[in-house]
Amino acid sequence: DFTKVVIDLGEASNIVGEEGASSMSKYANITRMSQKDFDRFGSTIVELGNNTATTERDILNMAMRLAAAGNQAGITEAQILGIAATLSSVGIDVEAGGSAFSKFTNRVQLAVETGNKDLSKFAKIAGMSANDFKKAFQEDAAGAWGAFLVGLQDTDRHGKSAIQILDELGITEVRLRDTILRASGAGDLFNNTIEMGSEAWDENIALTEEANKRYATTESKLKIARNEVMEAARSLGVELLPVIRDMIPIVTDMVKTFADLSPETKKNIVQFGLL
């Protein structure tokens, strides 16, 4: 089943071969994804790639960077892919975006778990009370993240710019601040993409549909025909192998016997054979 998903992704996206298979396996290990869900993973990543301003490979690479922190915060596999698609769609570098998201998610999670001074600040930006934000994060961390990003752009309510708010939070690191600002500037894209990913995960049809479209082309049919011929030849070879192996000693003895004959006898045998 895993191999079929890898092959289908190779046809339906720019995730190909051993590199893609390795990344998918590592993602599953980090998030503790069920081995039965690789088809859902494939469908989700194809759906996001088809409907956002990025590619499946970029989504997968970004998701790999987000996986550990996202899983630790209780964000689902599908939601992590949705967040990865959003960050990649707004031009955030894989390494920078992954590192920034992980760092900020860990900080929010720490605030929720310890109730430190950051909790009320995050909650206020998200338009919630501290208790409501804590509950929201515990039940749906990605949703709480989305509420924070949307709230960050509500300058009328806060009476200050997003940069000022981040500065007051002590978020001054360039890469971290740039990632948060780009994600929040995308408006509802963040929440919509996460929802899209979750729906694609549940429906589990996007990969099959996209792959079938590619397989329906003449070029793909020719490849499939060639593969079937090669498989038939391989099967035939497996069946003939024991016979060939048994014949090798006989052929070897015949060649040795022929080599030991006199030149005149060899000549007569060859001429008889030609006749």
Side-chain angles (χ1 to χ4, degrees):
D1 291 341
F2 174 76
T3 303
K4 185 179 185 302
V5 171
V6 173
I7 293 171
D8 286 348
L9 279 173
E11 292 293 330
S13 72
N14 61 345
I15 298 174
V16 294
E18 186 176 342
E19 181 182 356
S22 177
S23 294
M24 288 168 56
S25 299
K26 291 174 183 176
Y27 180 84
N29 289 338
I30 295 170
T31 61
R32 300 175 187 175
M33 186 181 84
S34 168
Q35 299 295 304
K36 297 179 180 179
D37 286 337
F38 279 111
D39 53 346
R40 296 184 182 277
F41 174 93
S43 290
T44 303
I45 209 164
V46 166
E47 181 72 9
L48 292 169
N50 285 344
N51 293 282
T52 57
T54 186
T55 69
E56 292 84 0
R57 180 186 294 171
D58 288 340
I59 294 172
L60 177 56
N61 290 338
M62 181 71 78
M64 283 286 293
R65 298 281 181 172
L66 313 180
N71 181 66
Q72 184 68 31
I75 302 175
T76 68
E77 294 93 340
Q79 289 176 328
I80 292 173
L81 291 173
I83 294 171
T86 303
L87 299 181
S88 182
S89 293
V90 294
I92 295 175
D93 176 73
V94 171
E95 292 190 9
S99 175
F101 172 86
S102 298
K103 184 179 295 186
F104 188 70
T105 299
N106 290 338
R107 181 175 171 182
V108 175
Q109 184 178 0
L110 181 64
V112 168
E113 292 179 354
T114 63
N116 63 26
K117 60 182 181 179
D118 282 342
L119 179 60
S120 59
K121 296 178 181 179
F122 293 141
K124 183 178 179 181
I125 295 169
M128 305 179 190
S129 66
N131 286 334
D132 287 343
F133 185 80
K134 178 178 180 179
K135 183 179 179 180
F137 189 87
Q138 291 172 335
E139 294 179 353
D140 179 14
W145 231 99
F148 173 86
L149 293 176
V150 171
L152 190 61
Q153 291 297 322
D154 192 352
T155 55
D156 291 336
R157 177 163 62 88
H158 300 302
K160 60 188 73 173
S161 68
I163 294 179
Q164 285 180 289
I165 295 172
L166 293 179
D167 189 64
E168 291 175 359
L169 287 172
I171 300 175
T172 57
E173 184 184 339
V174 176
R175 293 197 305 178
L176 176 57
R177 186 168 63 182
D178 181 59
T179 297
I180 295 174
L181 287 175
R182 288 198 193 193
S184 66
D188 293 329
L189 176 65
F190 188 89
N191 292 324
N192 291 342
T193 306
I194 292 175
E195 184 178 354
M196 182 194 304
S198 298
E199 290 177 355
W201 184 278
D202 292 336
E203 292 174 355
N204 193 20
I205 58 174
L207 176 58
T208 300
E209 289 183 347
E210 189 72 15
N212 285 341
K213 291 178 185 177
R214 304 299 176 91
Y215 291 140
T217 65
T218 302
E219 181 183 4
S220 293
K221 288 181 178 179
L222 288 173
K223 286 182 181 178
I224 292 170
R226 182 189 65 186
N227 291 339
E228 289 177 346
V229 170
M230 291 176 66
E231 174 62 17
R234 186 195 66 81
S235 299
L236 181 61
V238 170
E239 295 299 325
L240 288 176
L241 192 58
V243 179
I244 295 172
R245 186 170 55 240
D246 292 339
M247 287 179 62
I248 288 174
I250 299 173
V251 174
T252 302
D253 290 341
M254 289 175 61
V255 171
K256 184 178 179 181
T257 301
F258 183 80
D260 292 338
L261 294 175
S262 66
E264 187 65 27
T265 304
K266 292 178 183 178
K267 181 179 179 182
N268 290 336
I269 291 174
V270 172
Q271 288 177 343
F272 181 79
L274 289 174
L275 179 61

